Structure formats: C-alpha cells, structure tokens
Amino acid sequence: MGAEIIKLPPEQGQALDKRDAAMAEMSETIRQQNAMLAEIRAAILMQSQEIERLNRALSSMRVSRGQESAINAAIRARAADLAAQNGLTGAEKAIAAEIRKSVREATGCRAMGDVEAAAFDRVMDMIEGWMQRGALRRIRQERGAKNV
C-alpha cells in the first residue's frame, strides 16, 4: 500500500485551480486590509496622544487676571445680595469668605487665580447660585454672639 496519486477529472482540476486562485486573491486582500488597519491604528494613536497633550495643556491654563477679578467681583456682589436678603448688614466679608471656601473646595484651588480657565463659567454659575443656609445661620449666630 504505497502512496497512490489520485487523478481528478479535468473539470474538478479546473475548479480546484479556480478555488486556489480565489483563495490567493482573498489572502492578498486580507493582507492589504491588515496593512491599512495598521496605518489607521497608528494615525488614531497619534491623534489620541495629541488630544492628551492638548488636554494637559488646557488643564494647566489658569484664568486670566481679568477673569480672576470678575470672579472676585461676583463673589463680593453675591455676598452683598445675600447679606441684604438675610438681614446680615456688615457680614459681607464673612459671606464672601464662605463663598470662596466653597469655590476652593469645588475646584481644588487654593486661590481664585488658580481656577482652571476651562472651569471659569462653571465657577461663575456656582457663585451666582450659591446659597448655603448653614453657613448663613452660622454667620448670623457668630454676629449675634459678638453683639451681646
């Protein structure tokens, strides 16, 4: 029992040749697609790295001096409004200190000039809507104790 060569009819041989040619063509197509995918992946990786670099650059940008002044002016104005609304005349500085404390806690900044430029609008909205009854109550109690 040795190895026997099987002879195929010509139609089957041609069909196999066509199949082999199609498989070779598909193999080449897959190779080309893999090469294109590798190029796309490299381009996406470069874009991702550039976006990361830009994010780091943006997050390190602080508000301008003008924006810092605007934040401080908004804090003073909100403190004056709250003092007037709550009958705490003369407590504007204490209220402003509480607002600044809230901004520092929310942003993780030590001073208003350290606020990230990208967070400026959010900080201004926070100041405009600031209303902490507990802080106002505490200020009222402290002022009452000082007046006694």
Side-chain angles (χ1 to χ4, degrees), residues 36-52:
M36 286 189 298
L37 287 173
E39 289 175 18
I40 291 170
R41 181 183 179 280
I44 289 172
L45 182 61
M46 286 176 52
Q47 287 177 343
S48 175
Q49 291 169 343
E50 181 64 12
I51 289 170
E52 182 64 31

Side-chain angles (χ1 to χ4, degrees), residues 79-99:
D81 288 347
L82 289 171
Q85 290 172 9
N86 292 284
L88 294 170
T89 306
E92 291 85 357
K93 285 188 179 184
I95 296 170
E98 289 292 331
I99 296 172

Side-chain angles (χ1 to χ4, degrees), residues 29-42:
T29 301
I30 289 171
R31 263 192 290 284
Q32 290 173 356
Q33 289 176 344
N34 283 340
M36 286 189 298
L37 287 173
E39 289 175 18
I40 291 170
R41 181 183 179 280

Side-chain angles (χ1 to χ4, degrees), residues 76-139:
R76 286 190 297 274
R78 182 64 178 155
D81 288 347
L82 289 171
Q85 290 172 9
N86 292 284
L88 294 170
T89 306
E92 291 85 357
K93 285 188 179 184
I95 296 170
E98 289 292 331
I99 296 172
R100 280 188 181 86
K101 179 180 171 186
S102 294
V103 170
R104 284 193 310 269
E105 288 172 356
T107 60
C109 297
R110 293 175 60 174
M112 298 304 105
D114 293 337
V115 171
E116 292 179 4
F120 175 74
D121 291 333
R122 184 173 55 92
V123 167
M124 293 299 280
D125 290 342
M126 178 193 306
I127 293 167
E128 184 180 318
W130 189 89
M131 171 61 88
Q132 291 187 0
R133 297 269 182 216
L136 294 173
R137 190 177 319 113
R138 188 172 52 252
I139 291 169

